[in-house]
Amino acid sequence: MLDDVRILAWGARHAIRLGATLLERAGAQVTFGEARPRDISAYDVIVVSSDMSPANERSAIAELKAAGTHIVCDITATGPQGARACMRGTDAQIQAISGLMDTTGFAHGEPVRIGVPFTEISAALYASAAIAAAVRVKRSRGIVQNIDVTLFGCAASALTTFLPTAFAQGTVGRVGNRHPACAPWNAYATRDGWILICTSTEEQWRKIKEVACVPQLGDPRFATLRERVVNVDELDALIETWTATLTTAECSLLCERIGLAAGPIVSVAGLSGEPNFRMRHADAAMQIDTQGIDSDTYRRVPIFNTSRLTDDTCATPHASPESAAHVPHAGPLAGIKVVEIGQYTTAPLVGKHLAALGAEVVKVEPPDGEVARSWTPGQAGTSYFFALNNTDKQTIALDLKQEADRAHLSAMLADADVLVENLRPGALAKLGFDRDTLGKINPRLIYCSISGFGIASAYPGRPAFDTVIQAMSGLMDLTRSAGEPVKLGVSGADILGGQAALLAIVACLADPARHDGTFVEISMQDVAAWCALFASGNREGQGIAVACIDGHVWLESDEHVDAASLAAHAQQARCSGETRASAVAALAKAGISAVPVARVHELIEDGDFLADVLSVARDACGAFWPVIKVPYRLSRTPARVRAVPGAPTRALAGRFAALAV
């Protein structure tokens, strides 16, 4: 992967430290230094955070960028341009100004800081993938370039479930642990804890009614999904009369037996006793049991695993020429061919970024198209959500239960470099595409499987939604509103799982010595638990959200100021009677760091968001779509977001069609 790549991690941000761990996992030799070493020539890549550096170091970083002798990756809060240029923002402050914080929490409560440094983690993942892409370019084309990654851009990129409402000029609100379009879907109290239960179909609703044996659930108010969403308060209260009679384990077992996505809300300390975590990470579980969680416990949990695609050592690898790689200004992955079989967020996010980096990506959809296409809001029959997650792809509709369509997929895979999917574990094998078969079709294929609990799992048959993974990984335990666990407003487990897959795939593609096929396994629970363990062992400073007349402001402390003191300062500044802007100014005079908590729909009028994050793409009919730029900038081979796919075709001209842009 990144073997023989020498990296200097030189900076104060969490993203630098986390990125170093990720790059080591990908095979790089990483040195962590607080100060610039004397011999810079010993390194290929230098990772910095210039906004956190003193003036003399910022000058040295600028000189390194200008010299063009090293790949320099600069991770900052907001980047060097715009109204917030060079803001030394903390993770929580970026959560606030990006709208991320306002999506987390209950409708009746305050905005909630995500309990892990989400923007720092996201920046570390994206930066590591961008570094791998830059290494590939240097190895194949001799081009050395700089990379800029912003926490603000990473936060905004995570808002794909909320931005569609803003695009349609709607107001985005917090939903707690509920789903805005499905019910029942919530965290429910049990006799000894909490359980997260998610239903999305009428069949699942019928099953939960049968096992709950609560007569009132047969009321006409709950007869349809729409009526259940409208009457969700009454529905949730009735569901909890059932869950409260059971232990969490009993309720989880019942739900698994009837095929519902459900799981307990596990504490971070309780991860060592969570069956799937303990099975997959016995070493980490033992340390938690015997020594507790320290600042390095997270390093014992790998966020991706790679192995040979097959055990067949006699396979004859075929060449996969990348003729487009030498086109001037071509993306880092020009010439790479990708097949994506995915839906919703995880695999589509991977395919979107591979396409932005220059790969040809063909998305395989079911005969009627991906379900998310029809979500509202959108335009011309396609949802904004689908458009945001599937830019720059060719799409094809295949019924993989039909022999002819499986043959078509097989022909595509024979020419592909990468296959990425987020089907239920074993689903692709049942269709005739197990690892051995894939290895025979294409001995050099990189096959990436993303699932909730991994291939080797204590829950081989359990369905997994993002919210369930958040519950079972410690993320919800760390994210609380008035003491009650609450999920991240964004699809955090899905997004982080997709980012881990992106890094692993690009790192594989950066390896010039790769001959055999590679199997990449991503467990979303692994990735989310890695984040939770890091946050638990590396605590952040305290902060509070305070109400103003037009929203909230986020107050943050250093180690000498506790939450009670912050609240007293907010009262003295009379924040409740001030606008956010006035409150921030008043608190600044008192020496208290505060930023406004932005609402998602307000981003559409935010100059920095419009300049640095939002872009416009076109579909095949020439219509314009709002889309999101990638949050990493490669200076000489940039990633580009250009086109929104039309309806899936039934056949492609050849195995891979040229991207229509």
Side-chain angles (χ1 to χ4, degrees):
M1 299 173 80
L2 299 182
D3 296 353
D4 300 325
V5 177
R6 300 159 302 173
I7 298 176
L8 171 63
W10 169 31
R13 285 199 172 277
H14 282 325
I16 306 289
R17 179 179 171 192
L18 289 163
T21 302
L22 295 167
L23 292 163
E24 281 180 334
R25 176 69 183 166
Q29 302 170 23
V30 180
T31 300
F32 194 92
E34 293 296 332
R36 180 183 179 181
R38 293 178 181 176
D39 188 9
I40 286 290
S41 65
Y43 302 98
D44 304 296
V45 181
I46 301 173
V47 190
V48 297
S49 51
S50 61
D51 60 341
M52 303 291 285
S53 303
N56 63 320
E57 290 187 0
R58 287 199 298 274
S59 296
I61 290 168
E63 290 173 6
L64 279 170
K65 289 181 177 180
T69 54
H70 297 77
I71 296 170
V72 180
C73 179
D74 193 0
I75 304 174
T76 60
T78 57
Q81 299 172 340
R84 303 187 185 99
C86 301
M87 170 185 173
R88 292 168 60 96
T90 65
D91 171 81
Q93 289 174 334
I94 300 303
Q95 287 189 36
I97 66 172
S98 67
L100 200 60
M101 185 180 290
D102 197 58
T103 67
T104 302
F106 298 101
H108 58 272
E110 311 291 345
V112 173
R113 176 176 66 178
I114 295 170
V116 300
F118 183 87
T119 70
E120 296 270 5
I121 293 168
S122 183
L125 285 158
Y126 277 133
S128 298
I131 288 168
V135 168
R136 172 183 162 80
V137 171
K138 181 182 178 183
R139 284 171 167 173
S140 63
R141 292 182 245 172
I143 296 173
V144 178
Q145 59 191 313
N146 298 322
I147 304 165
D148 283 293
V149 180
T150 68
L151 274 61
F152 184 83
C154 292
S157 295
L159 294 170
T160 50
T161 51
F162 292 91
L163 284 172
T165 300
F167 292 159
Q169 299 184 328
T171 300
V172 177
R174 295 184 292 280
V175 296
N177 292 319
R178 287 173 172 166
H179 190 290
C182 296
W185 184 304
N186 209 341
Y188 301 96
T190 64
R191 276 170 42 197
D192 58 354
W194 297 86
I195 188 166
L196 208 296
I197 298 176
C198 307
T199 66
S200 58
T201 68
E202 291 301 319
E203 176 66 12
Q204 291 169 344
W205 167 240
R206 182 186 63 78
K207 288 179 177 179
I208 201 169
K209 280 197 302 182
E210 287 179 358
V211 299
C213 297
V214 178
Q216 297 93 320
L217 293 178
D219 191 288
R221 292 176 299 165
F222 312 128
T224 68
L225 176 58
R226 182 180 179 279
E227 289 170 314
R228 291 196 293 277
V229 171
V230 169
N231 298 293
V232 67
D233 289 338
E234 296 91 336
L235 175 63
D236 280 346
L238 290 171
I239 294 291
E240 199 161 83
T241 65
W242 163 59
T243 61
T245 66
L246 304 170
T247 66
T248 304
E250 290 168 343
C251 198
S252 295
L253 188 60
L254 265 176
C255 289
E256 183 171 1
R257 192 175 298 159
I258 62 176
L260 291 185
I265 296 179
V266 178
S267 68
V268 183
L271 281 171
S272 63
E274 201 289 308
N276 196 60
F277 182 90
R278 192 169 193 91
M279 186 191 88
R280 292 177 62 85
H281 308 293
D283 180 54
M286 184 176 298
Q287 183 195 323
I288 294 169
D289 283 342
T290 58
Q291 303 172 39
I293 298 168
D294 63 27
S295 60
D296 285 327
T297 304
Y298 76 102
R299 295 172 62 92
R300 296 174 181 262
V301 179
I303 67 167
F304 61 84
N305 294 298
T306 59
S307 58
R308 291 186 56 156
L309 180 59
T310 71
D311 294 326
D312 184 1
T313 58
C314 299
T316 304
H318 73 281
S320 180
E322 299 168 20
S323 57
H326 302 291
V327 175
H329 309 298
L333 302 185
I336 292 296
K337 298 174 180 178
V338 179
V339 174
E340 173 204 310
I341 308 176
Q343 55 184 346
Y344 305 125
T345 299
T346 46
L349 181 145
V350 180
K352 166 189 172 171
H353 284 275
L354 295 175
L357 288 165
E360 296 177 62
V361 179
V362 176
K363 179 183 180 71
V364 176
E365 300 186 50
D368 295 330
E370 183 183 326
V371 172
R373 277 183 176 271
S374 60
W375 290 0
T376 57
Q379 60 186 31
T382 298
S383 69
Y384 289 128
F385 174 85
F386 180 87
L388 286 169
N389 284 292
N390 292 285
T391 43
D392 301 301
K393 302 174 187 176
Q394 288 284 345
T395 58
I396 180 172
L398 294 179
D399 182 353
L400 296 180
K401 295 180 181 178
Q402 303 300 318
E403 184 176 351
D405 284 9
R406 290 197 299 272
H408 195 102
L409 175 61
S410 182
M412 290 168 58
L413 291 171
D415 270 0
D417 299 281
V418 177
L419 166 64
V420 57
E421 53 94 355
N422 65 334
L423 304 176
R424 204 179 278 194
L428 200 58
K430 288 180 181 177
L431 294 167
F433 295 95
D434 58 22
R435 286 169 60 178
D436 284 338
T437 302
L438 290 170
K440 291 173 183 175
I441 293 171
N442 185 342
R444 294 186 73 254
L445 185 70
I446 298 169
Y447 167 35
C448 178
S449 171
I450 310 171
S451 62
F453 299 106
I455 301 299
S457 169
Y459 314 119
R462 181 180 291 191
F465 289 151
D466 167 86
T467 316
V468 172
I469 300 301
Q470 289 196 38
M472 297 180 67
S473 63
L475 289 184
M476 286 179 63
D477 174 47
L478 295 176
T479 307
R480 291 179 175 260
S481 177
E484 188 171 341
V486 62
K487 71 179 182 69
L488 285 62
V490 298
S491 301
D494 281 346
I495 291 166
L496 294 166
Q499 288 183 265
L502 175 68
L503 165 59
I505 291 169
V506 179
C508 287
L509 291 170
D511 184 358
R514 184 181 65 86
H515 296 296
D516 298 322
T518 304
F519 177 61
V520 179
E521 183 212 23
I522 304 290
S523 158
M524 290 157 53
Q525 187 191 35
D526 288 356
V527 181
W530 180 82
C531 298
L533 287 168
F534 176 82
S536 186
N538 298 271
R539 293 288 184 177
E540 298 279 283
Q542 295 189 57
I544 58 171
V546 173
C548 299
I549 59 176
D550 62 345
H552 293 81
V553 292
W554 173 257
L555 282 62
E556 202 155 274
S557 69
D558 56 28
E559 63 271 19
H560 305 297
V561 183
D562 58 20
S565 298
L566 286 175
H569 281 293
Q571 189 171 9
Q572 289 172 4
R574 300 178 180 177
C575 291
S576 61
E578 300 284 347
T579 65
R580 285 172 289 178
S582 298
V584 167
L587 288 162
K589 289 180 181 178
I592 300 298
S593 177
V595 294
V597 177
R599 306 295 304 277
V600 174
H601 58 272
E602 294 172 342
L603 294 176
I604 307 303
E605 298 178 0
D606 180 279
D608 287 335
F609 179 83
L610 295 174
D612 194 48
V613 177
L614 195 64
S615 185
V616 176
R618 301 181 76 171
D619 63 21
C621 298
F624 291 97
W625 291 78
V627 292
I628 301 298
K629 299 174 187 175
V630 297
Y632 45 88
R633 308 283 190 267
L634 292 100
S635 61
R636 297 186 62 187
T637 60
R640 293 187 173 96
V641 179
R642 299 155 293 181
V644 170
T649 59
R650 278 295 301 166
L652 290 174
R655 293 174 181 173
F656 272 85
L659 282 175
V661 230

